[in-house]
Amino acid sequence: MSDIAPDPLLDGLNPPQREAVLTTEGPVLMLAGAGTGKTAALTARLAHLVRSRLAWPSEILCVTFTNKAAREMRERVGHLIGPAVEGMPWLGTFHSIAAKMLRRHAELVGLQQNYTIIDTDDQLRLLKQLIQAEGLDDKRWPPRQLASCIDRWKNRGLNPGDLDAAENESYANGKGQHFYRLYQDRLKALNACDFGDLLLHILNILRTHREVLEIYRQRFKYIMVDEYQDTNQVQYLWLRLLAQERKNICVVGDDDQSIYSWRGAEVANILKFEKDFPGAKVIKLEQNYRSTPEILAAASGLIDTNSQRLGKTLWTERHAGDKVKVIGVWDGPEEARRVGEEIERLEREGASLNTMAILVRAQFQTREFEDRFIAIGLNYKIIGGFRFYERAEVRDALAYLRIITQPADDLAFERIYNTPKRGLGDKALEKLHRHARARGVPLSFAAIEIVDTDELPARARNTLLALVRDFARWRDLAKTATPAELIRTILEESGYTAMLQAERSAEAAGRLENLSELARAMEEYDTLGDFLEHVSLVMDNDAADDAEKVTIMTIHAAKGLEFDQVFLVGWEEGVFPSQRAMDEGGLASLEEERRLAYVAITRARRRCTILHAANRRIYGQWTSSIPSRFIGDIPPAHVDAETTLTGGASLWKAQWSEREDPFAHLARSEPARTMTRGPGWQRAAARDFDPVPKRLTEATRSAASFAAKPRSDVSVGARVFHEKFGYGCITAQEGNKLEIDFETAGPKRVIDSFVKLAD
């Protein structure tokens, strides 16, 4: 411990926080539970090092995970030490600090100091070029899948030569290493790197250039790391190399809040800190300043079920407060109704909507609440993501529905004419726009005409023809199928579902979940028009920014936040814990899901309410649901549980102490209802459609006839000019379609709006 007299800035800190500040020499693990004031301790420690002159500001490396956290840290330290904070160039995120280092040593990894950092779009574009150059089908092996693999390898500190056989097989049947090497070589040729390279390049430099490593070991007298439980392998290796000599490293974190393995975080890093740095001082911050004793007891009992943890016991001086309330409901819609009613009750009692939050496990769960709150006029906001109907994949699906309902909707047509990719580029759209403007017709009508001409290359013409035919078929199907059946058919037949499935990423899986939820939402409407009108009302929910609003967000996005009233919804097996997480990660993923549940409960300051449904519609089918095992992990003494469903069916009895099988009574629940696709969908799938445009549906034929009014200033025998085919003579005319014998291109069929009379 430092011999420096205690600094006045320690006033207001509790004994463990003070100990963390004053233990300046040697490795320190500040094990900080939720709401225990770890930021105050970390900030005070950093200020203490400077004010006590143990180090100059430029001799301290302080690493945060987000730019926001770095800004807040700099501001808080600035209040304590004044202008000296401006001399702290090494306070920032992992990536910002690594980028600063790499600028100084870029030539050691084959780059120049003025290298560029490419974004995700550039990365995907480059990978697509490499995949196509190697003769692979980029639909079978999407660039996004390769990008995900490369990101995972870089997070683990792996160079192309470090991949084992299993990793090599993770892309293109054993070509992962080959493409990784091609990609890295291409980046160097472009004098560029991606975000993963920033840390990987520095790690490689520190490993292979001892003189550079010594420079930074001597420079950094003290190293401090926030949110250490969220570090990945390459960050861990980088920090360990820098800290091994002086060993003055202080890491702050909570193993019980490690919830980001899907982006490379490894909880093992914090669990093995004492092994990495023998003699490390472990200081536990356990006094919670956020939640009531009942909430803390519930959260502590829950997380105690995990085996891989260092262990701590949170406590507070606050009054006991309410027990965690657990409510069982019949289904998802009733869940939304109950939450809405409870929020309205709290609001009548004087509570602010700004102090309330609904936390979901997956983004698709927000839809039920958005629809319900629109119906009852309750203001809300989505944090950490778009509102349900604003998400890209949902808007794509809605664009298909809009063009089916209203063929004149040019905005919808532009959004999906090449989504998923069909090979219809900007040139094809430009021709459609030109013809549509000349004729005064919508784009979809222009497409009907242009596919029957030589204006577009054969491949683009055939693709556009297929799309026009699909529109006609789906428009016909809409007359007999339900809205839900229609959207499922469109997503399947358009290739949109296959596009997302081919990505094989967590993001794509979430987008598929959102589309499934969209189809489920449509089951509640008799007509497509009714549903689209409802969406318009939801999208028009633009309450004033200064109005109070309930917050809806995922649990992941809520980490670090707190609210007076927290509603935790969808606590059923398969939803939370997530079935996908358990299938892919087994016991390790289950423990991370439980840590996520711990994070969810500890967001609450005053009241925490958990809801679960006995029935939930998943992928369009009703299934019986059993309460999440996490509910059974909460000590019964700290739970206030409703014993009956509002729908009248028995939920459970007071059998919480029977941990062997706390949900056995659910075997007596009512059987699941099953929703299946109706005969309209089957008829549509089996129907054989004629590809000739003039044999499309009646509505399309009407549109085609409307668009086919010929020009009056052209006739057979006239000499004309076409921008693509040059000069020629009209040999035949049918409506607005001309047969022209071009001088260089030969006979072609074109639309009259694309030619002008020759001089």
Side-chain angles (χ1 to χ4, degrees):
M1 185 173 292
S2 171
D3 294 330
I4 304 297
D7 195 298
L9 62 84
L10 301 180
D11 293 342
L13 300 183
N14 62 38
Q17 288 174 324
R18 292 187 177 204
E19 183 181 11
V21 171
L22 297 175
T23 307
T24 58
E25 306 308 306
V28 176
L29 169 58
M30 198 188 306
L31 196 61
T36 57
K38 59 100 173 175
T39 303
L42 186 63
T43 304
R45 178 186 170 90
L46 183 56
H48 174 70
L49 292 174
V50 175
R51 290 179 59 167
S52 301
R53 301 193 177 183
L54 293 171
W56 292 104
S58 60
E59 294 176 324
I60 302 173
L61 172 63
C62 184
V63 188
T64 65
F65 262 83
T66 65
N67 290 317
K68 178 183 177 183
R71 287 193 301 270
E72 291 178 354
M73 181 73 68
R74 187 173 295 275
E75 290 173 2
R76 295 180 68 160
V77 173
H79 288 309
L80 298 175
I81 66 174
V85 72
E86 299 303 322
M88 302 189 71
W90 303 104
L91 191 166
T93 65
F94 276 101
H95 288 100
S96 66
I97 291 171
K100 187 175 298 185
M101 290 181 173
L102 188 57
R103 293 288 178 196
R104 302 181 177 192
H105 311 287
E107 71 282 355
L108 297 180
V109 288
L111 297 173
Q112 300 173 31
Q113 286 189 343
N114 64 341
Y115 67 84
T116 58
I117 304 172
I118 65 172
D119 59 20
T120 301
D121 288 342
D122 289 336
Q123 181 189 33
L124 293 176
R125 190 177 302 112
L126 176 55
L127 290 174
K128 183 176 182 178
Q129 292 172 0
L130 295 176
I131 292 167
Q132 291 177 341
E134 291 293 300
L136 265 66
D137 182 359
D138 61 358
K139 292 184 175 62
R140 173 71 178 85
W141 300 104
R144 195 174 295 275
Q145 181 191 353
L146 179 56
S148 178
C149 290
I150 291 175
D151 185 58
R152 183 177 73 248
W153 296 330
K154 290 182 178 181
N155 284 343
R156 293 174 56 191
L158 300 177
N159 295 290
D162 300 325
L163 300 189
D164 58 23
E167 290 293 352
N168 190 35
E169 289 289 334
S170 62
Y171 183 78
N173 297 325
K175 293 186 178 181
Q177 184 182 61
H178 174 66
F179 278 103
Y180 187 9
R181 185 173 283 114
L182 287 177
Y183 174 64
Q184 293 301 97
D185 290 343
R186 182 60 177 153
L187 284 177
K188 287 184 180 180
L190 295 170
N191 190 35
C193 64
D194 60 26
F195 281 97
D197 281 326
L198 295 176
L199 278 158
L200 182 61
H201 282 329
I202 288 299
L203 178 63
N204 289 334
I205 290 171
L206 297 180
R207 280 172 162 174
T208 57
H209 296 273
R210 183 77 184 185
E211 70 283 4
V212 177
L213 176 60
E214 288 303 320
I215 289 173
Y216 289 107
R217 281 182 170 178
Q218 292 303 313
R219 173 181 294 276
F220 300 135
K221 290 185 177 180
Y222 295 94
I223 298 175
M224 299 172 62
V225 188
D226 193 15
E227 304 288 5
Y228 190 66
Q229 79 280 350
D230 292 334
T231 54
N232 59 33
Q233 184 72 359
V234 69
Q235 292 163 343
Y236 161 79
L237 293 171
W238 179 73
L239 287 168
R240 195 175 67 171
L241 274 174
L242 293 174
Q244 277 300 324
E245 189 167 299
R246 293 182 182 269
K247 295 183 170 58
N248 286 338
I249 180 172
C250 173
V251 302
V252 185
D254 183 2
D255 54 321
D256 291 335
Q257 295 189 74
S258 179
I259 58 174
Y260 296 115
S261 67
W262 48 275
R263 65 185 189 196
E266 296 191 16
V267 68
N269 294 344
I270 192 170
L271 296 176
K272 63 183 180 181
F273 183 81
E274 292 178 87
K275 181 180 179 181
D276 290 333
F277 297 95
K281 180 76 171 179
V282 179
I283 301 172
K284 297 183 179 181
L285 304 187
E286 298 174 306
Q287 183 176 357
N288 180 279
Y289 295 95
R290 175 189 299 159
S291 306
T292 65
E294 290 288 357
I295 290 172
L296 293 182
S300 296
L302 166 73
I303 199 62
D304 192 53
T305 308
N306 273 5
S307 59
Q308 297 297 313
R309 61 189 299 262
L310 297 172
K312 59 188 170 302
T313 303
L314 299 184
W315 61 276
T316 182
E317 294 179 344
R318 296 185 62 185
H319 66 86
D322 296 336
K323 294 181 179 182
V324 172
K325 192 169 186 178
V326 176
I327 300 176
V329 297
W330 179 246
D331 57 15
E334 184 179 351
E335 180 182 59
R337 287 196 298 273
R338 286 296 300 270
V339 171
E341 290 168 0
E342 182 66 13
I343 289 174
E344 289 181 316
R345 183 187 67 80
L346 291 169
E347 189 179 22
R348 287 194 298 271
E349 294 176 357
S352 168
L353 294 181
N354 292 337
T355 66
M356 306 180 200
I358 300 168
L359 306 185
V360 300
R361 174 61 182 88
Q363 287 190 339
F364 76 88
Q365 293 174 260
T366 68
R367 202 274 308 169
E368 294 269 14
F369 297 94
E370 292 184 65
D371 285 357
R372 179 61 183 170
F373 293 172
I374 289 294
I376 64 177
L378 187 63
N379 290 338
Y380 70 90
K381 60 183 176 181
I382 303 291
I383 300 295
F386 295 104
R387 292 185 295 179
F388 182 81
Y389 293 108
E390 291 177 343
R391 290 167 186 148
E393 62 277 7
V394 174
R395 295 190 70 146
D396 288 343
L398 292 175
Y400 275 103
L401 296 174
R402 285 162 50 196
I403 200 69
I404 296 306
T405 305
Q406 176 49 266
D409 192 333
D410 283 356
L411 292 177
F413 182 90
E414 286 188 36
R415 185 177 183 93
I416 50 85
Y417 86 102
N418 197 37
T419 303
K421 298 293 185 184
R422 299 185 175 91
L424 296 173
D426 294 338
K427 290 184 179 180
L429 183 60
E430 182 182 346
K431 282 188 175 290
L432 286 174
H433 267 296
R434 178 179 170 183
H435 178 61
R437 287 195 300 269
R439 306 297 295 171
V441 298
L443 290 174
S444 60
F445 294 177
I448 292 172
E449 289 192 341
I450 208 168
V451 296
D452 204 26
T453 73
D454 296 317
E455 298 291 350
L456 296 175
R459 181 176 178 181
R461 188 166 62 246
N462 292 335
T463 301
L464 187 59
L465 173 60
L467 181 61
V468 168
R469 187 175 60 182
D470 284 342
F471 286 155
R473 183 171 70 253
W474 297 329
R475 195 169 293 123
D476 196 32
L477 175 62
K479 299 174 183 177
T480 57
T482 66
E485 292 169 348
L486 177 64
I487 191 58
R488 291 186 180 110
T489 301
I490 290 174
L491 292 173
E492 186 71 26
E493 294 183 355
S494 67
Y496 201 98
T497 298
M499 174 189 71
L500 293 179
Q501 290 172 336
E503 287 186 17
R504 304 175 191 174
S505 66
E507 180 186 11
R511 296 174 69 188
L512 285 168
E513 286 179 346
N514 289 337
L515 291 174
S516 294
E517 180 63 17
L518 174 66
R520 193 179 78 74
M522 295 177 69
E523 291 178 359
E524 302 172 13
Y525 295 85
D526 295 329
T527 69
L528 183 56
D530 290 344
F531 173 73
L532 292 177
E533 180 179 334
H534 165 76
V535 172
S536 297
L537 293 174
V538 173
M539 296 287 278
D540 194 42
N541 177 41
D542 290 326
D545 289 340
D546 57 353
E548 292 187 356
K549 299 178 183 179
V550 177
T551 297
I552 306 176
M553 64 199 311
T554 65
I555 303 172
H556 281 101
K559 186 173 181 291
L561 303 179
E562 55 188 68
F563 303 89
D564 284 349
Q565 322 282 346
V566 171
F567 297 89
L568 309 178
V569 298
W571 279 44
E572 302 120 32
E573 290 292 301
V575 177
F576 191 39
S578 159
Q579 191 63 49
R580 186 172 74 242
M582 291 190 295
D583 290 345
E584 295 175 358
L587 180 60
S589 286
L590 177 59
E591 294 215 340
E592 179 162 329
E593 290 285 289
R594 187 174 283 109
R595 293 194 292 270
L596 191 59
Y598 170 83
V599 168
I601 294 175
T602 54
R603 297 313 92 194
R605 287 192 290 248
R606 296 180 58 193
R607 294 187 184 90
C608 178
T609 304
I610 299 173
L611 295 97
H612 61 92
N615 302 278
R616 195 172 289 276
R617 203 175 300 177
I618 300 177
Y619 298 117
Q621 292 189 336
W622 279 104
T623 59
S624 292
S625 301
I626 62 173
S628 169
R629 68 191 71 192
F630 300 152
I631 295 177
D633 290 337
I634 300 174
H638 305 288
V639 173
D640 176 15
E642 288 193 5
T643 58
T644 59
L645 290 171
T646 56
S650 174
L651 174 62
W652 55 11
K653 303 298 180 183
Q655 299 173 339
W656 292 61
S657 60
E658 300 177 16
R659 292 296 181 91
E660 305 80 30
D661 187 12
F663 308 120
H665 56 284
L666 289 170
R668 298 187 294 275
S669 62
E670 294 187 21
R673 290 175 283 169
T674 301
M675 298 292 293
T676 59
R677 286 174 169 170
W681 179 87
Q682 294 170 340
R683 288 196 303 271
R687 191 176 296 136
D688 182 22
F689 289 90
D690 194 314
V692 182
K694 58 188 176 184
R695 292 190 61 192
L696 296 173
T697 65
E698 191 66 39
T700 307
R701 286 203 300 275
S702 298
S705 63
F706 171 75
K709 297 176 182 178
R711 284 171 55 178
S712 59
D713 60 337
V714 295
S715 59
V716 174
R719 190 166 186 265
V720 294
F721 176 78
H722 188 281
E723 286 188 357
K724 179 179 179 181
F725 302 126
Y727 289 96
C729 184
I730 299 176
T731 59
Q733 182 177 16
E734 179 184 351
N736 68 333
K737 296 183 179 63
L738 307 175
E739 293 284 352
I740 301 176
D741 187 9
F742 289 99
E743 296 171 3
T744 56
K748 298 290 182 182
R749 194 177 193 198
V750 302
I751 296 174
D752 58 14
S753 62
F754 283 87
V755 302
K756 60 182 179 180
L757 291 172
D759 296 332

